[in-house]
């Protein structure tokens, strides 16, 4: 970014000229791995390309945001994980008649979603709403700029589904970590949302990125919805559900959703999330003591965790963090 900013005006005008003349070509990605805690491959574009991503994201959001259902919570204004968990908690209370009856939750996770997004299908969905040829030219370049993952990383059924379309010059996959991937994901999975809401007529459906839940009082209803959803994903979107991350849970057992466990009358932080938080706080405190991390920086970390803890019933844990880790930094 510093290198780009040194000649900011020249670089921006050069990018503008490339776009105007249609000589712009998306550059390669820098790929790295993170474990937070799940292993993910992040693909980072250049600063120049990220300026294009921001412009595309703004244009696409203005067009597609009104078409999305309310209960799609990822990468959208005034949404997010906390609101999703709160709304699922509220509907569970309603379906269970104030916890006097059993309520059930179908939990689903789409397997390798970002690796499996079909480029041709994605562009076709975009072309339904956009007719501007200049914008479509740029979108095709950006979508096709990502080479995708090898088919060996995909399941047999998904690989076969993708290979049936290989004669059409199709690519697959959008990179994790790219701003446009967030709006692409919502455009793509809006097809699932519309199917569940308007074809299956499911009332209590909630989605965050590639995770979604359906709440109902009858487990057989959820099994029927699961079968229909599984078929739709594979046949229409070339996606499949993760075989180990599909389950029907009773509310009394606790519903693990987006880092929280929803129980009758309260919500708690997932055990693995709590352990990860304590591990990071202990490590951060040790780094402050040894001088590797400033007190100001560690204070920001503790405030972030205390803000997270406000969204669930964990006064004891909040008090523990405050008493053992929170220190007001000396401002210079």
């Amino acid at each position: 970014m510093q290198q780009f900013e040194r000649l900011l005006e020249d670089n921006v005008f050069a990018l503008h000229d490339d776009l105007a003349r249609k000589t712009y070509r998306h550059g390669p990605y820098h790929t790295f791995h993170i474990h937070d805690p799940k292993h993910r491959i992040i693909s980072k574009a250049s600063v120049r390309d990220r300026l294009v991503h921001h412009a595309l994201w703004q244009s696409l959001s203005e067009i597609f945001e009104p078409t999305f259902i309310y209960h799609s919570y990822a990468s959208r204004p005034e949404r997010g994980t906390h609101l999703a968990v709160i709304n699922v908690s509220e509907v569970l209370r309603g379906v269970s008649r104030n916890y006097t009856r059993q309520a059930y939750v179908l939990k689903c996770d789409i397997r390798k979603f970002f690796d499996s997004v079909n480029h041709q299908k994605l562009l076709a969905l975009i072309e339904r709403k956009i007719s501007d040829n200049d914008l479509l030219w740029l979108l095709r370049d950006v979508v096709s700029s990502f080479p995708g993952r090898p088919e060996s990383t995909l399941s047999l059924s998904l690989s076969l589904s993708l290979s049936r379309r290989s004669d059409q010059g199709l690519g697959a996959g959008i990179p994790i970590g790219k701003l446009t991937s967030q709006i692409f994901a919502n455009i793509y999975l809006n097809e699932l949302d519309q199917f569940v809401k308007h074809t299956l007529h499911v009332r209590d459906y909630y989605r965050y990125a590639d995770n979604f839940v359906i709440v109902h009082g009858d487990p057989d209803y959820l099994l029927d919805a699961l079968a229909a959803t599984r078929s739709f994903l594979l046949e229409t979107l070339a996606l499949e559900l993760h075989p180990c991350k599909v389950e029907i849970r009773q509310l009394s057992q606790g519903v693990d959703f987006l880092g929280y466990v929803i129980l009758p009358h309260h919500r708690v932080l997932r055990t693995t999330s709590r352990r990860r938080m304590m591990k990071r706080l202990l490590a951060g405190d040790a780094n402050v003591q040894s001088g590797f991390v400033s007190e100001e920086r560690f204070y920001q970390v503790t405030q972030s965790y205390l803000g997270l803890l406000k969204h669930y019933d964990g006064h004891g844990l909040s008090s523990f963090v405050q008493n053992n880790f929170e220190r007001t930094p000396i401002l210079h």
Side-chain angles (χ1 to χ4, degrees), residues 163-286:
S163 65
R164 284 197 295 268
R165 299 166 174 83
S166 61
D167 58 335
Q168 303 174 30
L170 144 77
I174 55 177
I176 299 174
K178 191 169 76 169
L179 182 61
T180 49
S181 294
Q182 299 171 8
I183 186 72
F184 288 160
N186 279 334
I187 292 171
Y188 205 78
L189 289 178
N190 186 49
E191 295 299 292
L192 170 65
D193 300 341
Q194 300 299 330
F195 172 78
V196 172
K197 295 296 291 183
H198 300 299
T199 301
L200 299 185
H201 303 290
V202 173
R203 186 181 66 177
D204 297 318
Y205 164 81
Y206 304 82
R207 181 178 63 80
Y208 187 93
D210 54 354
N211 296 275
F212 61 91
V213 299
I214 297 175
V215 180
H216 203 271
D218 182 359
D220 290 331
Y221 175 92
L222 296 178
L223 286 172
D224 292 339
L226 172 60
T229 300
R230 194 192 302 274
S231 296
F232 175 84
L233 283 170
L234 188 60
E235 295 171 8
T236 306
L237 297 177
L239 299 173
E240 66 176 350
L241 298 175
H242 196 295
C244 302
K245 297 182 180 179
V246 174
E247 61 177 340
I248 295 177
R249 299 277 296 181
Q250 297 179 8
L251 173 58
S252 58
Q253 296 174 305
V255 178
D256 189 331
F257 184 53
L258 301 179
Y260 296 88
V261 178
I262 303 170
L263 292 155
H265 304 288
H266 66 291
R267 299 182 296 272
V268 297
L269 197 63
R270 182 190 294 160
T271 301
T272 54
S273 300
R274 186 170 64 246
R275 288 174 179 168
R276 189 164 64 253
M277 179 184 72
M278 294 306 302
K279 182 179 179 180
R280 289 177 176 174
L281 286 171
L282 288 167
D285 188 55

Side-chain angles (χ1 to χ4, degrees), residues 80-103:
T81 57
H82 299 313
L83 182 61
V85 173
I86 289 169
N87 285 344
V88 171
S89 301
E90 286 299 310
V91 79
L92 279 166
R93 184 170 66 87
V95 170
S96 65
R97 306 287 178 88
N98 258 342
Y99 314 117
T100 60
R101 299 181 180 181
Q102 191 60 265

